[in-house]
Amino acid sequence: MRILVAEDEMKMARAIRRGLENDGHVVETVDNGDDALFWASEQRFDAVVLDVMLPGQDGFAVCRGLRAARIWTPVLMLTARSAVEDRIAGLDAGADDYLVKPFALGELLARLRALLRRGPTERAPHIAVGDIVIDPAAHTVSRRGVPIDLSPREFALLEYLARHPGEVLRRGDILDNVWAYDYEGMSNVVDVYVGYLRKKIEHPFDSSVIKAVRGVGYALEVDQ
Ligand code: CA
């Protein structure tokens, strides 16, 4: 099998490569997130071993990028911490399994064999904007791996913004798409709901993502 290993620590990368080659695999290595996303998108691999902490895009972003491009190559994520948030973030980003460093090489090989047997698993695509991940099928939202509880209307508003990342959406268009009926005389309903969303997706994380454009509407910012 052909395996891409994205790991910037040379010693670790060499050890993984040796282990995989001894197991009969062909291994390509990259040492940063941008190359990982590029090669995993351009060429066919049977699996990707993806370190979370990488220069450039981190492992979560690489994984989200692959899934957004509907590339379902199995991804085994290597996380430095066993924090539950990290594991959830990895799985939210579309990883198939994760392994906490330090790990025994034998365990990595065993996990990888299981993934290779299973093959690519296609999923309903998540919408990822920055560190916010939306699952339209399951109606769930998380930010930095932390689940966020939204009302159906708040969810619809966030999903609409997220389907047009970085685009300034007019209040009227938001009303038409999220409320779908005439809200004449209550044009501030969009602003009210943006306020509700901010309380849930911005304030707890001390990071704003919804940009207000005076006299026009709102945009969900792509980079945070
Ligand atoms: Ca690293």
Side-chain angles (χ1 to χ4, degrees), residues 5 7 9-22 103 105 108-109:
V5 175
E7 167 63 88
E9 291 146 57
M10 293 318 289
K11 259 179 81 177
M12 176 72 90
R14 267 199 300 271
I16 295 174
R17 171 194 276 272
R18 255 200 311 273
L20 292 173
E21 285 177 349
N22 287 341
F103 51 81
L105 198 54
L108 181 137
L109 296 175

Side-chain angles (χ1 to χ4, degrees), residues 48 50 52 59-60 62-64 66-67 72-79 86-99 115 118 121 123 126:
V48 180
L50 184 60
V52 169
F60 297 136
V62 171
C63 201
R64 279 197 297 265
L66 287 176
R67 299 321 186 211
W72 307 108
T73 312
V75 170
L76 175 61
M77 205 91 119
L78 306 180
T79 75
D86 268 22
R87 303 186 195 191
I88 296 171
L91 298 175
D92 268 354
D96 298 87
D97 200 0
Y98 55 84
L99 202 51
L115 286 187
R118 202 163 78 196
T121 318
R123 270 165 290 220
H126 291 189

Side-chain angles (χ1 to χ4, degrees), residues 7-9 51-55 101:
E7 167 63 88
D8 58 315
E9 291 146 57
D51 188 30
V52 169
M53 300 295 289
L54 286 172
K101 289 179 176 178

